[in-house]
Amino acid sequence: MNRDSHTEDTLSTMVLENVKNKLINAFRTSGEARENRKATAGSVRPLSIGRSHQANEELRRAQIDGAITWLRSELLEMRSQDLQLAQTLLGLNTEIQRLRRESFRGVEVGGDDPSD
């Protein structure tokens, strides 16, 4: 089960990295489109606006990283809950099997004596 957990970790990391890259590209594309609109309007962008854009880009990336971190923690919590549920179900299955065995033993013992 440890190997399965490692595989799930790797898969989760790959999925999250893919989502992260898509989000970064989406924000980058929308930012580039705004820049292109501003550039085609013929206005020259002062240096302070460039810094502001860079700060906004860094803020967006930080927000994306924060969202990915939150998703990762939620996925880990879900995995933990899945393991707990699996253990509970296995325990219930074991108990059901034990009760069935006891029930069948009682029927066998009671069925041997025809004088009842």
Side-chain angles (χ1 to χ4, degrees), residues 36-92:
N36 289 339
R37 283 195 299 263
K38 289 178 184 178
T40 57
S43 62
V44 176
R45 200 169 71 179
L47 186 58
S48 63
I49 292 176
R51 287 182 185 157
S52 175
H53 176 70
Q54 184 180 1
N56 285 338
E57 184 71 21
E58 288 177 12
L59 178 61
R60 276 192 226 118
R61 286 186 181 175
Q63 289 172 336
I64 291 169
D65 286 341
I68 289 172
T69 300
W70 177 79
L71 284 171
R72 185 173 282 129
S73 69
E74 288 295 312
L75 287 170
L76 289 172
E77 177 63 27
M78 288 171 64
R79 181 181 300 140
S80 172
Q81 291 174 356
D82 285 347
L83 291 173
Q84 289 175 353
L85 181 60
Q87 288 175 345
T88 300
L89 291 173
L90 287 172
L92 287 171

